Amino acid sequence: MAVDSVLSSPLGPPACEKDAKALRFIEEMTRNADVVQEKVLAEILTRNGQTEYLQRFKLGGFTDRLTFKSEIPVITYEDLQPEIQRIANGDRSHILSAHPISEFLTSSGTSAGERKLMPTIKEELDRRQLLYSLLMPVMNLCVPGLDKGKGLYFLFVKSETKTPGGLLARPVLTSYYKSDHFKTRPYDPYNVYTSPNEAILCPDSFQSMYAQMLCGLYEREQVLRVGAVFASGLLRAIRFLNLNWKQLTHDIRTGSLNPRVTDPLVRECVARILRPDPELADFVANECAKESWERIITRIWPNTKYLDVIVTGAMAQYIPTLDYYSGGLPKACTMYASSECYFGLNLNPMSKPSEVSYTIMPNMAYFEFLPHDPNSPGFTRDSPPKLVDLADVEIGKEYELVITTYAGLYRYRVGDILRVTGFHNSAPQFRFVRRKNVLLSIDSDKTDEAELQKAVENASQLLREYNTSVVEYTSFADAKTIPGHYVIYWELLVKDAAHSPSDEALNGCCLAMEESLNSVYRQGRVADNSIGPLEIRVVKSGTFEELMDYAISRGASINQYKVPRCVSFTPIVELLDSRVVSVHFSPSLPRWTPERRR
Ligand code: AMP
């Protein structure tokens, strides 16, 4: 029930006193966005002014925006590579940050095929936790009674490595789940999970998922929300249930745990809830054995009020499948974050996915916005870009996000394109438009045009002995299979029909493509099982000409026509599919180890 109106917030009546405090904080930050931003920049520049990086530029001790903008260059990851490499190799001097770099966060964005390494400092954990602490108070405004049950969240840690200099390198969520901030979080009735920490922290993805699913089934009546970080993760959990329900219901029936779960900590925590429950086992088995899995989520967890998953950006492709499995439950996209920095939250989390806007929290970092014009040639040293401050962006315009963080990124281009949809107080709200240069994405992988091109080139080497070449290609992220997978359409020129490439050779091409793709893709294939085997669909000769005719009939200019290297528009995919002469899949897994190749 809402608390006393004395605590009332412009966002709505808070559910409890703790929520009132969080909502007041959001109000304070968003009302004073520009002042907070000025303060954040001054703080960052004051504490890091003596770092090697900032000393290179003539700030002269000034910490104001004007000096900052005129002296500090706008950069990308590639520009920072030498500094990052030195830190990774063990140089502990104050290169980027006056505070010690505590670890590297491995972004799903890649550079030369490997995950980008983002330096971070200890106190950033507090900032992340602060943003997390704002999510439920906002959600409670939209969905009452979430303290009366639990959340079934499928959360996972991923493998970590050490850099040559001994710093840990791991994904930001792995770092967060392994931190005391998460492990020893105080009890909060609005944030009770069915998954025990030990299950979340188990590095083996099968055992982790198995334990989390089993606990979620035992507590099916208490579950009020079902979630994962990204939509692809929740679908993977559904697929897991589909593949393992017989063993899971066997465990529930007998009160014994699948011997494949060997991690002693996981066995111990599951033992605390494990009991023979033949009635529950019958119920789950009966639902899972039905031919149709439509609404399976609400059938098994009937009190689910919403799905908590990100379905904006590349994840929008999963909305129809999620709707199918959940009977169209609301999908809450609660936050917008990255390894570099957590950016902000959705103040209207029950809005339709197509209407989701994120409000950037001005206390998280110093934010600037590079006006995005897809037709402009970019900028040079002689014509530096004019970046706009957080409070000065204009509704309807698109910008690329540029950040300056406490951990030592200065005017760093994140690569996300955002559109301003409105303001909450003086803080702008943004629709996530897309990530720059991403052609294909199934889970957290991001494959760009150059990577795809290189993969096609490498794979087509295998066709040389057949005197065959790839004359055209395009791609499609097939989100209908679980897990989703890359489909590459190839039009071949077979010069000697009597000696055309064998099935085996073309299957080999699929694997060769996978071997050429970046490490995030290969990790998804090998360790996370979040991406299915790559598929090549060979199309009839002349198909790409038909594709061009189709584009021209829809108004494309014949002079400027370029073969799209990725397609998603249904009529085009249908046209391609209707011309397929053979399909081929990767016969095995590509190589991947947690160690970086360089
Ligand atoms: P990473 O650096 O691997 O943590 O990935 C961060 C990137 O994921 C961001 O820069 C965005 O491109 C994307 N991302 C994060 N949150 C969202 C969201 N809520 N909606 C759409 N894309 C997101």
Side-chain angles (χ1 to χ4, degrees):
M1 196 204 291
V3 295
D4 196 85
S5 62
V6 182
L7 298 175
S8 182
S9 138
L11 286 163
C16 61
E17 206 153 322
K18 195 161 144 254
D19 284 11
K21 199 170 150 221
L23 298 178
R24 270 202 306 273
F25 179 76
I26 295 174
E27 282 305 296
E28 195 188 311
M29 289 297 119
T30 54
R31 276 207 189 119
N32 305 303
D34 200 45
V35 179
V36 175
Q37 281 284 277
E38 192 168 14
K39 202 173 129 241
V40 166
L41 180 65
E43 259 173 36
I44 295 174
L45 296 182
T46 304
R47 77 148 72 155
N48 291 338
Q50 297 306 314
T51 56
E52 187 188 312
Y53 186 83
L54 286 182
Q55 282 288 309
R56 261 181 234 162
F57 307 102
K58 298 184 219 87
L59 285 178
F62 287 102
T63 61
D64 62 290
R65 288 191 258 207
L66 219 63
T67 316
F68 177 72
K69 283 171 190 276
S70 66
E71 300 303 330
I72 307 290
V74 176
I75 56 159
T76 63
Y77 184 79
E78 269 57 40
D79 298 315
L80 218 49
Q81 271 273 16
E83 284 77 12
I84 302 239
Q85 214 48 59
R86 277 172 56 204
I87 300 170
N89 289 340
D91 190 336
R92 296 279 182 274
S93 61
H94 295 172
I95 299 174
L96 295 173
S97 164
H99 287 215
I101 301 298
S102 52
E103 60 182 311
F104 279 111
L105 302 176
T106 53
S107 160
S108 59
T110 52
S111 163
E114 293 294 336
R115 286 172 177 272
K116 291 177 186 167
L117 292 175
M118 293 301 166
T120 190
I121 56 176
K122 265 218 168 76
E123 70 169 44
E124 278 295 297
L125 268 171
D126 301 330
R127 256 176 225 108
R128 284 178 214 127
Q129 189 183 38
L130 175 67
L131 193 69
Y132 282 125
S133 76
L134 306 177
L135 304 183
M136 281 316 284
V138 172
M139 185 55 81
N140 290 336
L141 297 173
C142 310
V143 185
L146 291 173
D147 55 336
K148 306 292 184 291
K150 299 189 178 185
L152 166 53
Y153 282 83
F154 297 96
L155 306 176
F156 301 92
V157 294
K158 293 193 180 185
S159 62
E160 47 192 45
T161 48
K162 283 218 163 130
T163 67
L167 281 174
L168 272 178
R170 53 189 180 179
V172 61
L173 290 173
T174 300
S175 160
Y176 188 73
Y177 299 146
K178 288 190 166 184
S179 73
D180 286 337
H181 290 68
F182 180 78
K183 284 194 295 192
T184 57
R185 60 196 183 277
Y187 175 79
D188 171 358
Y190 292 93
N191 241 336
V192 184
Y193 297 154
T194 54
S195 294
N197 284 357
E198 294 84 346
I200 294 171
L201 294 172
C202 173
D204 179 283
S205 63
F206 175 88
Q207 297 183 48
S208 174
M209 177 79 92
Y210 194 93
Q212 297 193 50
M213 185 62 81
L214 193 59
C215 296
L217 291 173
Y218 269 110
E219 304 203 86
R220 59 179 280 272
E221 308 245 345
Q222 280 101 286
V223 169
L224 300 182
R225 50 203 169 107
V226 175
V229 178
F230 289 115
S232 53
L234 182 54
L235 289 174
R236 204 153 70 242
I238 301 301
R239 172 81 180 146
F240 186 90
L241 180 62
N242 190 286
L243 292 175
N244 294 283
W245 63 265
K246 285 189 180 141
Q247 180 69 43
L248 285 157
T249 51
H250 168 271
D251 292 7
I252 297 174
R253 193 178 311 283
T254 57
S256 62
L257 181 58
N258 183 349
R260 271 185 78 185
V261 179
T262 53
D263 183 321
L265 292 176
V266 177
R267 291 196 72 86
E268 201 181 305
C269 74
V270 173
R272 287 199 286 271
I273 63 148
L274 205 63
R275 58 182 187 278
D277 189 341
E279 208 179 310
L280 174 63
D282 283 346
F283 173 82
V284 175
N286 187 39
E287 290 301 334
C288 292
K290 287 182 184 160
E291 200 169 317
S292 164
W293 268 48
E294 193 171 355
R295 293 191 309 99
I296 192 73
I297 295 178
T298 38
R299 285 197 263 138
I300 296 200
W301 296 283
N303 300 316
T304 313
K305 298 180 188 218
Y306 67 94
L307 304 181
D308 193 340
V309 275
I310 290 177
V311 285
T312 43
M315 291 293 145
Q317 60 191 336
Y318 296 109
I319 293 172
T321 320
L322 282 176
D323 284 346
Y324 176 81
Y325 288 130
S326 72
L329 277 179
K331 292 160 287 296
C333 300
T334 56
M335 68 189 282
Y336 169 44
S338 77
S339 318
E340 294 92 324
C341 173
Y342 278 23
F343 306 124
L345 75 170
N346 178 359
L347 293 179
N348 188 9
M350 283 296 138
S351 51
K352 285 204 300 211
S354 58
E355 282 161 21
V356 168
S357 290
Y358 298 101
T359 305
I360 287 189
M361 288 301 285
N363 59 307
M364 300 301 289
Y366 175 62
F367 299 100
E368 292 175 277
F369 297 85
L370 181 60
H372 176 67
D373 176 0
N375 300 319
S376 98
F379 57 84
T380 58
R381 264 193 185 282
D382 302 330
S383 63
K386 281 249 167 322
L387 271 64
V388 180
D389 273 326
L390 182 68
D392 298 333
V393 295
E394 290 175 50
I395 293 181
K397 291 212 168 138
E398 287 187 6
Y399 300 90
E400 182 184 338
L401 182 60
V402 176
I403 54 171
T404 296
T405 67
Y406 286 88
L409 298 176
Y410 306 96
R411 311 197 88 191
Y412 176 92
R413 296 172 71 167
V414 173
D416 288 349
I417 308 294
L418 309 175
R419 184 183 313 122
V420 186
T421 54
F423 280 81
H424 179 76
N425 297 321
S426 60
Q429 303 186 294
F430 297 92
R431 184 141 309 152
F432 182 90
V433 178
R434 63 188 175 83
R435 187 164 172 110
K436 264 180 23 187
N437 302 332
V438 173
L439 212 55
L440 288 165
S441 174
I442 288 292
D443 190 42
S444 49
D445 54 303
K446 299 171 175 70
T447 295
D448 69 23
E449 198 163 328
E451 288 171 321
L452 183 65
Q453 165 78 24
K454 188 97 205 99
V456 170
E457 272 170 27
N458 287 350
S460 58
Q461 299 291 322
L462 301 180
L463 300 179
R464 270 196 183 166
E465 63 172 292
Y466 297 92
N467 211 357
T468 294
S469 53
V470 179
V471 285
E472 274 306 354
Y473 70 91
T474 189
S475 64
F476 168 64
D478 189 345
K480 282 182 231 83
T481 57
I482 306 177
H485 70 290
Y486 288 12
V487 174
I488 319 295
Y489 293 94
W490 272 10
E491 185 172 318
L492 299 178
L493 178 65
V494 183
K495 290 184 196 117
D496 174 6
H499 185 52
S500 60
S502 64
D503 219 28
E504 231 173 32
L506 284 158
N507 295 343
C509 290
C510 297
L511 183 59
M513 284 199 69
E514 295 198 301
E515 292 286 6
S516 310
L517 292 172
N518 64 52
S519 74
V520 182
Y521 175 89
R522 287 178 284 111
Q523 181 174 3
R525 282 282 285 129
V526 177
D528 308 338
N529 193 22
S530 58
I531 306 173
L534 183 142
E535 179 182 358
I536 290 178
R537 295 184 189 160
V538 178
V539 293
K540 258 189 5 207
S541 111
T543 302
F544 279 80
E545 232 174 281
E546 283 188 68
L547 208 66
M548 179 172 79
D549 292 344
Y550 182 83
I552 290 165
S553 75
R554 288 175 52 92
S557 145
I558 191 154
N559 294 322
Q560 286 163 351
Y561 177 79
K562 283 193 217 72
V563 175
R565 291 303 178 207
C566 182
V567 296
S568 55
F569 186 51
T570 310
I572 297 226
V573 178
E574 282 174 359
L575 187 149
L576 287 164
D577 280 337
S578 69
R579 304 295 187 269
V580 169
V581 289
S582 64
V583 298
H584 310 271
F585 285 94
S586 197
S588 55
L589 293 172
R591 268 164 302 179
W592 177 82
T593 62
E595 276 73 48
R596 301 166 67 81
R597 281 184 180 170
R598 38 170 208 106

